[in-house]
């Protein structure tokens, strides 16, 4: 019996292309006649443009044009109905007026024959401003707070005064930026009224819909190509202004135009995780059971769009709390619009909730895990529906045993190694299992191999590989006999490559499509008088290694290649798909995890060093353990950065980001990550989706930062409620 491809630690099928430099990223496509655009950005954070002097730039040999609001054509900007629409309001319309809404806003673009000429000419553009002091702090908004989101169950005002123990704390998460290895880039080419974009994007269909709306052309007139994405973490889930700029410039100069954001421009040219202030009040009885919770949340958004994280979900469903009230206010500031960043909303909310649970456990003199277990719900407290699976108890049990949790002294500052104070912390991770409609196409070739297509993306988790594994099993082919293709808007539609929904959605579509193709081939064989399988029941035929045969008589059969050759068919083709049903309403589906962190804190210097991070996850069926481990390591490293290093700093005088580079914006390096690993519980969740997966990309960052913060408290006795945790805060 052939071993299934799914469930085995297969190496990346695209790995050789990547390590040999043959994988083609957005800026690397060889488009004949391409010229280069360099964006000029504003040097004030709010105000009006009074002058744009491009004479010196245009005088440079090789410069083709310089475009600003003074000479740019007016664009239709039809309403955008893509999925998802990350913010409500009037999105930034580049070069359409003289307003400056944030520091670093694009105000002009210079197009030249070479990148070097364009860069030099862009440095010669002089822009005058009538500037104002921007609003960049939650306490001094640019206007009235947006309409709040509210949620309530029970009677908090009655329950809180009756609580045995009350805890009221405020937690703050500072702004973070994605900083992917590959900078955002777009090549745009017009062929008459048809636009082709080679773009860095996590959803080619959104870029297609967005640019069609900007230029007032049919979506079918826009093709978006994105076969490889060098990291994104949510930053490529919408078409940012540089995509429009590339297309606009290409139409003006009638040549393909390439625009690549600089590392500095990534800090204002794309979104970020917003600054969030999370005030949490908890009430509990003497036995540690939560009786009431009040969540008062404020988070930044731009003044021209209202972006909101999914910050309220965890507070509604994570613990059995009968009385809950939530208020979430988005605060308009003179900044560029925030956007999704790995674990959006959940990673932020988990920091507040899981640190507060740790503080409550300390006040009650209770073990932090025991407190969480006493508040485990048997149904989703927010909706009242049952969980599809919820195996947090098992996650805690496995993790506790692995790290020796029960051997630790609960008392802070109870363990040391020379000058290093040692601590261990824990936190819960959870992320909702998202699913969305997806389609796929599968074609069985005359040589017996298969091509499977879907307009999804691969920003690093291994979509090419995991989809190949699912397709190979469904078609009865070896992995080498399947080629999965993605990243082209002409392919069958897919949801965003984010929110941990790709495997559940696209994987289920691939399963359905390849099942249909296999059954089509089986029917052809049993109905063909020339086939060894003629007259057999289709239900009795299986396919292994590309050969169709009877389950109980393996000698009676033929290969896909023989079948197609004899029937004189160049190929067989099937289309299929997946769409979630009413299980979305009938069940609460989440991935879960228990995250353990062990830290050492230098008693004299306040330096925090990670010694170990372990996550134990209930994440459904694991299609590829090797990729799953890689996902966990990446997410945990992001959580370490969130906890200890990452912090975008803004100068309040003009809105300038002062550390917009990888020298001053700190991210973890190998020396910061000595021992990071994950354990995935066996099993699957067929209620969640047909292939039983739950998604991995988001849940593995949720809970890491609070586990580290709780470990720092255990080591030092100092409770730090603002991220990142700095030496200054500990001294």
């Amino acid at each position: 019996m052939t071993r299934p491809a799914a469930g085995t630690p297969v190496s990346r099928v695209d790995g050789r292309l990547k390590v040999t430099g043959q994988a083609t990223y957005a800026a690397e496509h060889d488009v004949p006649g391409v010229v280069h655009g360099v964006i000029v950005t504003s040097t004030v954070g709010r105000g009006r443009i009074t002058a744009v002097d491009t004479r010196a730039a245009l005088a440079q040999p090789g410069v083709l044009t310089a475009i600003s609001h003074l000479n740019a054509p007016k664009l239709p900007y039809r309403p955008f109905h893509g999925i998802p629409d990350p913010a409500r309001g009037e999105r930034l319309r580049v070069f359409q007026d003289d307003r400056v809404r944030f520091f670093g806003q694009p105000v002009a673009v210079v197009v030249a024959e070479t990148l070097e000429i364009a860069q030099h000419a862009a440095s010669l553009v002089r822009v005058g401003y009538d500037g104002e002091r921007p609003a960049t702090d939650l306490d001094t908004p640019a206007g009235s707070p947006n309409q709040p989101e509210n949620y309530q169950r029970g009677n908090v005002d009655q329950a809180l005064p009756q609580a045995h123990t009350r805890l009221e704390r405020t937690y703050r998460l500072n702004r973070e930026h994605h900083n992917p290895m590959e900078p955002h880039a777009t090549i745009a080419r017009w062929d008459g009224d048809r636009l082709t974009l080679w773009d860095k994007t996590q959803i080619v269909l959104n870029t297609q819909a967005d640019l069609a709306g900007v230029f007032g052309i049919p979506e079918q007139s826009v093709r978006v190509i994105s076969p490889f994405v060098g990291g994104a973490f949510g930053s490529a889930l919408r078409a940012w202004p540089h995509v429009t700029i590339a297309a606009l410039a290409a139409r003006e100069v009638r040549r393909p135009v390439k625009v690549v954001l600089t590392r500095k421009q990534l800090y204002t040219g794309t979104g970020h995780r917003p600054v969030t202030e999370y005030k949490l009040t908890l009430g509990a009885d003497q036995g540690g059971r939560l009786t009431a919770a009040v969540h008062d949340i404020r988070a930044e958004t731009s003044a021209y769009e209202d972006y909101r994280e999914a910050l309220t979900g965890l507070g509604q469903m994570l613990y059995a709390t009968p009385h809950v009230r939530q208020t979430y206010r988005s605060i308009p500031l003179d900044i560029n619009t925030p956007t999704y960043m790995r674990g959006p909303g959940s990673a932020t909310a988990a920091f507040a909730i899981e640190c507060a649970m740790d503080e409550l456990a300390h006040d009650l003199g209770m073990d932090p895990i025991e407190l969480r277990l006493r508040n485990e719900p048997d149904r989703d407290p927010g909706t009242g529906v049952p969980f599809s699976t919820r195996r947090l108890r098992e996650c805690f049990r496995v993790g506790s045993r692995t790290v020796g949790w029960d051997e630790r002294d609960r008392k802070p500052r109870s363990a040391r190694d020379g000058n290093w104070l040692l601590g261990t912390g824990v936190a819960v991770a959870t992320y909702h299992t998202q699913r969305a409609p997806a389609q796929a196409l599968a074609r069985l070739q005359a040589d017996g191999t298969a091509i499977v297509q879907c307009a999804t993306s691969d920003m690093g988790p291994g979509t090419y590989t995991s989809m190949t594994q699912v397709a190979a099993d469904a078609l009865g082919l070896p992995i080498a006999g399947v080629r999965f293709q993605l990243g082209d808007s002409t392919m069958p539609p897919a949801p965003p490559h984010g929110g941990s929904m790709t495997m559940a959605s696209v994987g289920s579509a691939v399963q359905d499509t390849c099942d249909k193709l296999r059954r089509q081939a089986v029917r052809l064989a049993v109905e063909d008088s020339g086939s060894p399988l003629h007259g057999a029941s289709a239900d009795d035929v299986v396919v292994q290694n590309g050969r169709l045969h009877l389950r109980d008589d393996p000698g009676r059969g033929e290969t896909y290649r023989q079948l197609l050759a004899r029937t004189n068919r160049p190929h067989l083709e099937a289309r299929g798909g997946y769409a979630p049903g009413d299980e979305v309403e009938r069940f609460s589906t989440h991935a879960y995890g228990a995250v353990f962190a062990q830290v050492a804190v230098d008693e004299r210097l306040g330096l925090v060093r990670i010694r170990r991070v372990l996550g134990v996850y209930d994440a459904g069926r694991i299609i590829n353990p090797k990729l799953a481990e890689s996902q966990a390591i990446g997410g945990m490293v992001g959580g370490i950065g969130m906890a200890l290093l990452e912090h975008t700093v803004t100068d309040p005088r003009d809105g300038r980001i002062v550390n917009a580079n990888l020298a001053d914006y700190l991210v973890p390096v190998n020396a910061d990550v000595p021992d990071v690993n994950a354990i995935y519980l066996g099993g699957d969740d067929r209620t969640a989706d047909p292939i039983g997966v739950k998604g991995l990309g988001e849940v593995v960052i949720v809970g890491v930062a609070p586990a580290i913060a709780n470990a720092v408290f255990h080591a030092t006795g100092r409770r730090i409620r603002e991220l990142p945790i700095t030496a200054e805060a500990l001294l």
Side-chain angles (χ1 to χ4, degrees), residues 51 117 120 159 170 188 203 208-209 242 275 321 353 412 595 623 644 712:
I117 294 173
H120 175 62
T170 299
I203 173 168
Q208 179 190 46
H242 69 275
V275 172
T321 314
I353 294 169
V595 183
I623 299 297
L644 302 178
V712 168

Side-chain angles (χ1 to χ4, degrees), residues 705-717:
I708 292 172
N710 292 337
V712 168
F713 171 76
H714 181 233
T716 66

Side-chain angles (χ1 to χ4, degrees), residues 13 53 64 96 110 112 126 133 139 182 219 256 274 340 348 364 376 412 467 469 517 568-570 651 678 693:
V13 298
D53 186 351
L64 302 178
Q96 299 298 291
V110 176
R126 298 291 176 259
R133 187 181 179 94
D139 294 326
E182 179 199 15
E219 289 186 18
Y340 310 104
T348 302
L364 291 168
E376 266 290 276
M467 299 304 163
Q469 290 175 266
L517 182 58
N568 197 30
R569 295 171 186 263
D651 187 332
V693 303

Side-chain angles (χ1 to χ4, degrees), residues 673-696:
V673 191
D675 186 0
V676 174
N677 54 61
I679 297 171
Y680 291 99
L681 302 180
D684 61 18
D685 188 350
R686 300 287 170 164
T687 301
D689 50 76
I691 61 175
V693 303
K694 287 192 173 191
L696 300 176

Side-chain angles (χ1 to χ4, degrees), residues 34 44 113 128 188 196 320 322 338 416 470 510 558 611 663 684 701 717:
V34 70
V44 300
E113 294 284 355
T196 302
R416 65 167 57 239
V470 171
V510 168
E558 65 179 330
R611 292 206 168 180
D684 61 18
I701 193 173

Side-chain angles (χ1 to χ4, degrees), residues 165-481:
T165 301
R166 289 181 57 177
L167 180 85
E168 184 175 316
R169 300 288 188 269
T170 299
Y171 303 88
R172 180 184 173 91
L173 185 85
N174 285 298
R175 191 187 303 174
E176 291 182 87
H177 274 82
H178 305 76
N179 284 294
M181 289 290 289
E182 179 199 15
H184 283 254
T186 303
I187 302 173
R189 183 184 69 196
W190 289 88
D191 299 291
D193 292 331
R194 302 186 67 84
L195 172 63
T196 302
L197 297 165
W198 292 265
D199 186 42
K200 173 175 178 166
T201 177
Q202 292 171 244
I203 173 168
V204 293
L205 299 181
N206 255 24
T207 302
Q208 179 190 46
D210 197 325
L211 270 291
V214 168
F215 288 95
I217 59 178
E219 289 186 18
Q220 295 76 11
S221 296
V222 182
R223 182 183 181 188
V224 183
I225 300 170
S226 182
F228 292 97
V229 178
F233 317 108
S235 66
L237 279 171
R238 74 183 303 189
W240 297 102
H242 69 275
V243 184
T244 296
I245 291 171
L248 174 61
R251 195 170 71 170
E252 291 299 294
V253 301
R254 304 190 181 202
R255 298 265 300 271
V257 172
K258 178 191 297 187
V259 173
V260 182
L261 296 187
T262 65
R263 182 62 59 179
K264 182 178 181 180
Q265 287 173 339
L266 291 180
Y267 287 79
T268 52
T270 64
H272 53 269
R273 195 191 303 276
V275 172
T276 303
E277 185 180 274
Y278 200 123
K279 182 179 179 180
L280 181 57
T281 304
L282 296 179
D285 64 20
Q286 192 169 0
R289 291 174 179 82
L290 295 172
T291 58
V294 178
H295 307 251
D296 192 356
I297 307 166
R298 297 193 305 160
E300 67 179 359
T301 186
S302 67
Y304 57 94
E305 287 185 296
D306 186 7
Y307 170 80
R308 303 192 185 202
E309 300 258 73
L311 283 164
T312 59
L314 264 64
Q316 295 173 22
M317 58 72 59
L318 189 52
Y319 295 113
T321 314
H323 307 280
V324 177
R325 183 169 66 227
Q326 294 178 319
T327 303
Y328 172 17
R329 299 175 180 86
S330 57
I331 308 300
L333 301 176
D334 295 316
I335 59 172
N336 63 313
T337 303
T339 196
Y340 310 104
M341 188 170 177
R342 196 170 192 173
S346 295
T348 302
F351 171 63
I353 294 169
E354 288 302 286
C355 286
M357 289 294 285
D358 218 63
E359 296 200 53
L360 181 61
H362 180 74
D363 289 353
L364 291 168
M366 186 178 295
D367 180 84
I369 292 180
E370 177 60 26
L371 175 67
R372 289 168 170 85
L373 294 178
R374 290 191 184 189
N375 289 282
E376 266 290 276
D378 55 6
R379 300 173 76 86
D380 187 315
T383 61
V385 301
F387 296 108
S388 57
T389 71
R390 180 168 170 136
R391 300 166 66 190
L392 258 180
R393 292 182 182 275
E394 188 175 351
C395 291
F396 278 125
R397 184 170 62 252
V398 172
S400 297
R401 184 174 62 245
T402 304
V403 303
W405 177 266
D406 293 336
E407 300 167 11
R408 75 166 198 159
D409 186 333
R410 285 209 306 265
K411 184 179 178 182
R413 298 180 71 92
S414 57
R416 65 167 57 239
D417 178 9
N419 290 322
W420 295 94
L421 302 173
L422 307 181
T424 304
V426 71
V428 171
T430 186
Y431 199 83
H432 55 295
T433 300
Q434 297 192 76
R435 293 86 82 199
Q439 298 178 26
L441 179 147
R443 182 181 297 117
L444 188 62
Q445 309 276 78
D447 63 359
T449 64
I451 294 174
V452 183
Q453 294 181 334
C454 179
T456 186
S457 300
D458 188 348
M459 62 173 164
T463 310
Y464 279 108
T465 307
S466 56
M467 299 304 163
T468 299
Q469 290 175 266
V470 171
D473 284 347
L475 292 169
L477 285 169
I479 286 176

